[in-house]
Amino acid sequence: KNQVEQSPQSLIILEGKNCTLQCNYTVSPFSNLRWYKQDTGRGPVSLTIMTFSENTKSNGRYTATLDADTKQSSLHITASQLSDSASYICVASRYNNNDMRFGAGTRLTVKP
Amino acid sequence: DAGVIQSPRHEVTEMGQEVTLRCKPISGHNSLFWYRQTMMRGLELLIYFNNNVPIDDSGMPEDRFSAKMPNASFSTLKIQPSEPRDSAVYFCASSPQQGSNYGYTFGSGTRLTVV
């Protein structure tokens, strides 16, 4: 069973609208959680990284939240743009090693 | 910096042939990772190196896969013999240090198709 579950699997929104992507993880002991953006045909690019002591992190129009007690994270995109169309991947890491568990991703499509 | 450079971008080969994927990490990065991405399984870690030494190859699917890092600026992932089920996008990533708290930079990937 994957230790990182993302929802929804895919999402279509209109340009200018906001959206929120969800991530639940069971990785233990927990070290940090990252959100990556992956454009079609490209490698993943890091958007945010949060440790267990952080509960929110922003990067421009992207805001990630983390609840280490419930082991949930969300990525909120404000005022979406066509260029936000991509897959968004949640990655939870175990403490003090390179053991990163990847979610299957949410495919976001922003339409004009 | 040009980032992590992978070659080739696309590779189409016949079943049974040897395939070699190449990666140049970011200069100064001490850790290098090989990942495989498929629709069914998402991103999977195959192997990672720290200071050119393989640390964890538990993700390598079978003996047909091998990886080397002869120096700090070059790594290869070889599949011999290749099979259709090896078709996937293979990513290389590098990091300044070992440990998940450091930033990872991914290359653009090599799309491998085995027919």
Side-chain angles (χ1 to χ4, degrees):
Chain A
K1 185 179 184 298
N2 195 356
Q3 296 184 15
V4 179
E5 301 288 343
Q6 292 189 243
S7 62
Q9 193 172 32
S10 62
L11 182 63
I12 300 174
I13 63 173
L14 293 177
E15 187 179 11
K17 298 296 186 182
N18 303 335
C19 67
T20 300
L21 314 180
Q22 301 290 345
C23 174
N24 296 337
Y25 64 93
T26 58
V27 165
S28 180
F30 173 73
S31 174
N32 60 67
L33 187 135
R34 302 169 187 268
W35 282 94
Y36 281 91
K37 178 186 179 188
Q38 185 176 19
D39 292 312
T40 301
R42 310 293 295 179
V45 174
S46 182
L47 294 175
T48 63
I49 175 172
M50 291 179 290
T51 63
F52 64 87
S53 60
E54 298 175 293
N55 54 28
T56 187
K57 186 74 69 81
S58 290
N59 178 0
R61 296 180 295 103
Y62 301 102
T63 299
T65 64
L66 174 65
D67 186 331
D69 291 330
T70 61
K71 298 187 176 182
Q72 296 179 326
S73 177
S74 66
L75 180 69
H76 186 74
I77 304 175
T78 304
S80 61
Q81 300 176 357
L82 298 179
S83 59
D84 293 332
S85 294
S87 288
Y88 291 84
I89 302 171
C90 174
V91 185
S93 299
R94 294 181 63 217
Y95 179 75
N96 206 30
N97 60 33
N98 284 301
D99 188 358
M100 302 203 304
R101 303 301 170 108
F102 290 79
T106 292
R107 179 70 201 176
L108 174 66
T109 302
V110 180
K111 293 196 168 182
Chain B
D1 198 319
V4 176
I5 299 173
Q6 291 187 246
S7 63
R9 284 301 309 274
H10 303 275
E11 177 80 35
V12 180
T13 190
E14 291 185 345
M15 181 173 63
Q17 295 298 306
E18 177 180 294
V19 176
T20 299
L21 312 181
R22 298 172 177 79
C23 175
K24 176 179 169 55
I26 291 175
S27 178
H29 280 194
N30 294 327
S31 294
L32 182 141
F33 308 82
W34 283 101
Y35 288 89
R36 178 171 67 177
Q37 186 176 40
T38 61
M39 289 291 292
M40 291 294 295
R41 301 174 67 91
L43 272 161
E44 302 174 284
L45 177 66
L46 300 177
I47 184 172
Y48 80 88
F49 296 83
N50 193 56
N51 293 324
N52 313 336
V53 176
I55 303 299
D56 184 356
D57 65 354
S58 60
M60 297 286 260
E62 45 196 277
D63 292 344
R64 297 184 297 106
F65 286 69
S66 62
K68 294 182 179 179
M69 192 165 186
N71 57 62
S73 60
F74 184 67
S75 177
T76 60
L77 178 67
K78 186 177 295 186
I79 308 172
Q80 166 64 19
S82 58
E83 297 181 3
R85 60 193 169 116
D86 301 331
S87 297
V89 181
Y90 291 81
F91 287 102
C92 176
S94 69
S95 172
Q97 295 287 345
Q98 185 173 220
S100 63
N101 286 327
Y102 293 92
Y104 287 64
T105 302
F106 284 81
S108 295
T110 293
R111 180 173 293 278
L112 174 65
T113 303
V114 183
V115 298

